[in-house]
Amino acid sequence: MPVIADSKKRANSNTSTSDNRVSKKKVSAIMTIKQTPEEEAKAKDYFQPHVLDPKFREDLKKTISESKPYNWGTIKDLMDEELLKNVRREMIEEIQFTKKETDIYKVFQSGDLANLSALPESMRSRLPNLYKLRSAIYSQTFRDFISYVTGCGKLSGIKTDLSLNTYIKGCHLLTHDDVIGSRRVSFILYLPEPGKTWKPHYGGSLRLFDSIVSNVPKSDVFCKLTPQFNQIAFFQVSPGWSFHDVEEVKVDKQRMSIQGWFHIPQPGEDGYIPGEQEKTEARSTLQQLESKELKEYDFPKLQFNELPPCELKELSVSEDEELELSQDDIKYLAQFVNPSLLTKESLEKLNNIFTEESVVDVLSFLNTEYETLLKKKMKQLELNEYPPMPQQQSEVKYPWKLAGPSHKQRYIYMDGLPKQDMTTAESIVKMNTVTSQEQPSFGLTKQCIELEERLNPIPEAVKLDNPQATTATEVDIKLCELAQFFKSISFKKWLYQVTGLTILKDQILIRRFRPGHDFILATKLDENEGEDKTRLLDGVLDATLNLTPSSGWENGEHGGYEIGMIDEDAEVIPDEKLNQFNEDEAAIYKSSDKDESLVYESQASWNNLSLIFRDESVLKFVKYVSFQAVGSRWDISCSWKCKNDGADDDEN
């Protein structure tokens, strides 16, 4: 007997979003300072001699001007080493780091440092080296140096901000461009353990991304910098172009850093240009993420498919009728579904929960025979996959496709549609301008998989080396069978028994979230423009069938969980307040401060179906899957547009 349970539950401490979203508390050190002449003169002594050498400066300027994918630079041995060692010691001994986690990052961060100059003497005396370092970085000497080598223009001497971070195993920061408020140059000063080499396989690298067009980063990393003690990386903040992330730390070591920004000159400062900040903010990625033009580059498209007229006729009922399951329907459903879910008692129980909560979980959804065979094949695939799990976009082979762009989402999926070229701006524009009349066909996709298997079997040499080598073919075929099942009339009738909703349109996706790669950032329901909404309910019926064969996901530490959150009380942070937040927190621009905001939580699991009816007030995301995860998160994601039967809003 399957467990049928209400899904309206609270997240555990590892996955809670109640205090992990942006709060209105200032957490990075946004400071207004005015340094004395003595501090300015002393600042030069804190840098290594080579940094201020004219030839070094010219060479660095040339290197930055020729750098790709956008202008960026790095300096090794930036500061006096003894000073920086003392700064690191102060960070460890005097600063309290708090774990912060949202859909875009996991990091341990300092609390509110406020203006170091304004701290009481008793507190400031405990951070003397941090105070010296701050003074050196924001000195006129170093600001002029950064301005010259980057060619960015003047930098503010009174508006500064920085934060202290430590990345330990599992910590990460996903793709973003840093464009918030008056930021002009971003920098990261690295403080891993001195005297030790931070190796590339440790993770924690700064990774830079090229772009397809402005505000649309590519999915693959262009280049990366492996951080070392006393090394700084910096780049000009460029709206829609300066995309980067912090690779997940993969080892039990601390990757400490001091991170901050130089700002556009403020009123009264040399270089101030009225209206310059406003122009920058207008080009912010946060302002343009949901623009119609940029949505052209979103894959997969949120595209609901009209059901054939014959299906609509069979699914339609009058006010006095009920859509009953026939014996043929039950016979077909029993090939896939746990038989106990087809009884009148179970359907009534599910319906009562869904009617009350609009959310319901069904455990052990697939029948024993089907799920046992599928799980065996999926486990075998994850252990002996040939070719290996795709890492780069070029390695993702049809019928699988890569979701993007990478500052919104990344995972691989099958949608039942023909092969598409999503690698260049030209090919994407062509796809979007040529209207396709093809409907998704997982049956046709299944045939393509079978043909590929016949044409490209596992080479004999591979079999000799690894007798257990397994292609994705058998798993893909079974997943396509399930996708076809979700598109069947019989399943839509079963849905009606559970939800009371009549299906008019559908979209079905088979998804795989790969360890160390994939996620979906928090998004609202994206209603299709131009469709007749008079016959549709204001919202969609979503279902996720979790098919993750590996274990170890229960506590959420490896990510892969799907969250639904009420956004009714959230408000977009006004532009003028964005600069009160550090880079990480400002990247999440929706706040959610109440425990009650969590509608449902779906951990990566095996054979569990989650159903939810959601409207525009509900945000959803799938947390980044950690490199440490044993395997991928697999699921089948379904969305249906449902009939508006003319009932009033409250009843709907």
Side-chain angles (χ1 to χ4, degrees), residues 62-167:
K62 184 175 186 297
T63 300
I64 291 173
S65 68
E66 296 172 352
S67 61
K68 302 293 181 182
Y70 47 82
N71 292 348
W72 69 284
T74 183
I75 303 172
K76 296 179 180 179
D77 300 321
L78 176 73
M79 308 301 300
D80 175 82
E81 188 162 320
E82 207 55 40
L83 169 66
L84 216 54
K85 287 179 180 178
N86 289 332
V87 168
R88 191 176 189 276
R89 177 184 54 76
E90 289 175 0
M91 290 172 64
I92 294 172
E93 295 178 357
E94 303 293 345
I95 302 296
Q96 182 177 353
F97 290 89
T98 304
K99 179 183 176 182
K100 295 180 179 293
E101 183 169 11
T102 70
D103 53 347
I104 197 172
Y105 65 84
K106 179 196 285 188
V107 66
F108 286 79
Q109 191 175 74
S110 62
D112 187 357
L113 297 179
N115 187 337
L116 288 175
S117 303
L119 288 177
E121 179 59 32
S122 59
M123 176 63 71
R124 194 170 63 182
S125 64
R126 293 161 57 185
L127 302 170
N129 296 287
L130 183 58
Y131 183 86
K132 291 176 184 177
L133 177 64
R134 195 277 322 257
S135 298
I137 288 175
Y138 289 109
S139 65
Q140 184 73 53
T141 297
F142 195 61
R143 294 200 319 273
D144 288 347
F145 174 89
I146 291 294
S147 175
Y148 181 78
V149 297
T150 62
C152 68
K154 296 285 187 178
L155 299 172
S156 176
I158 61 172
K159 185 174 184 180
T160 65
D161 67 279
L162 57 82
S163 61
L164 311 182
N165 300 312
T166 182
Y167 286 74

Side-chain angles (χ1 to χ4, degrees), residues 112-355:
D112 187 357
L113 297 179
N115 187 337
L116 288 175
S117 303
L119 288 177
E121 179 59 32
S122 59
M123 176 63 71
R124 194 170 63 182
S125 64
R126 293 161 57 185
L127 302 170
N129 296 287
L130 183 58
Y131 183 86
K132 291 176 184 177
L133 177 64
R134 195 277 322 257
S135 298
I137 288 175
Y138 289 109
S139 65
Q140 184 73 53
T141 297
F142 195 61
R143 294 200 319 273
D144 288 347
F145 174 89
I146 291 294
S147 175
Y148 181 78
V149 297
T150 62
C152 68
K154 296 285 187 178
L155 299 172
S156 176
I158 61 172
K159 185 174 184 180
T160 65
D161 67 279
L162 57 82
S163 61
L164 311 182
N165 300 312
T166 182
Y167 286 74
I168 62 173
K169 190 175 182 179
C171 289
H172 57 272
L173 171 60
L174 302 180
T175 312
H176 60 290
D177 70 357
D178 263 13
V179 180
I180 292 173
S182 59
R183 295 175 183 174
R184 174 160 276 176
V185 173
S186 178
F187 69 85
I188 312 98
L189 178 57
Y190 296 106
L191 297 171
E193 188 175 358
K196 302 287 182 68
T197 299
W198 187 272
K199 299 176 181 179
H201 70 268
Y202 293 174
S205 293
L206 173 66
R207 306 192 299 188
L208 310 184
F209 292 80
D210 200 359
S211 298
I212 298 174
V213 297
S214 177
N215 285 297
V216 183
K218 292 185 177 180
S219 292
D220 294 340
V221 175
F222 183 89
C223 63
K224 69 178 185 178
L225 174 71
T226 301
Q228 304 300 332
F229 180 78
N230 202 2
Q231 181 175 15
I232 190 172
F234 54 92
F235 53 86
Q236 184 173 351
V237 175
S238 303
W241 297 105
S242 51
F243 287 105
H244 60 286
D245 74 7
V246 176
E247 180 186 22
E248 178 185 359
V249 174
K250 303 173 183 178
V251 294
D252 285 316
K253 296 180 181 294
Q254 287 195 72
R255 198 221 71 168
M256 303 183 76
S257 66
I258 296 177
Q259 176 181 328
W261 296 267
F262 293 101
H263 290 262
I264 291 171
Q266 302 300 293
E269 286 192 289
D270 181 28
Y272 171 70
I273 301 174
E276 183 180 24
Q277 181 170 329
E278 290 74 14
K279 289 180 181 178
T280 300
E281 289 171 348
R283 297 164 61 200
S284 166
T285 302
L286 298 183
Q287 301 294 325
Q288 300 189 40
L289 270 177
E290 301 305 320
S291 70
K292 183 178 180 181
E293 292 76 17
L294 288 185
K295 286 180 183 179
E296 296 295 316
Y297 293 87
D298 289 358
F299 293 95
K301 305 291 187 189
L302 183 60
Q303 186 172 319
F304 291 96
N305 305 289
E306 291 274 6
L307 302 188
C310 59
E311 287 193 20
L312 290 173
K313 184 177 181 181
E314 189 166 347
L315 292 171
S316 62
V317 292
S318 66
E319 292 182 6
D320 302 326
E321 296 176 325
E322 290 291 335
L323 192 61
E324 300 290 344
L325 289 172
S326 68
Q327 288 302 310
D328 286 340
D329 291 325
I330 293 174
K331 183 178 179 180
Y332 171 74
L333 291 168
Q335 297 177 46
F336 302 91
V337 179
N338 190 320
S340 60
L341 292 173
L342 303 178
T343 66
K344 185 176 181 180
E345 294 76 18
S346 287
L347 291 171
E348 285 181 352
K349 185 174 182 179
L350 286 167
N351 180 258
N352 289 336
I353 294 172
F354 188 85
T355 301

Side-chain angles (χ1 to χ4, degrees), residues 398-399 414-417 439-451 476-477 479-485 487 510:
Y398 182 79
M414 287 191 282
D415 59 2
L417 291 170
Q439 292 288 309
S441 172
F442 287 97
L444 184 59
T445 300
K446 180 179 170 184
Q447 293 175 22
C448 292
I449 295 168
E450 292 168 337
L451 177 61
D476 291 352
I477 288 173
L479 293 175
C480 285
E481 285 178 358
L482 280 174
Q484 283 181 287
F485 160 70
K487 291 182 72 68
I510 301 165

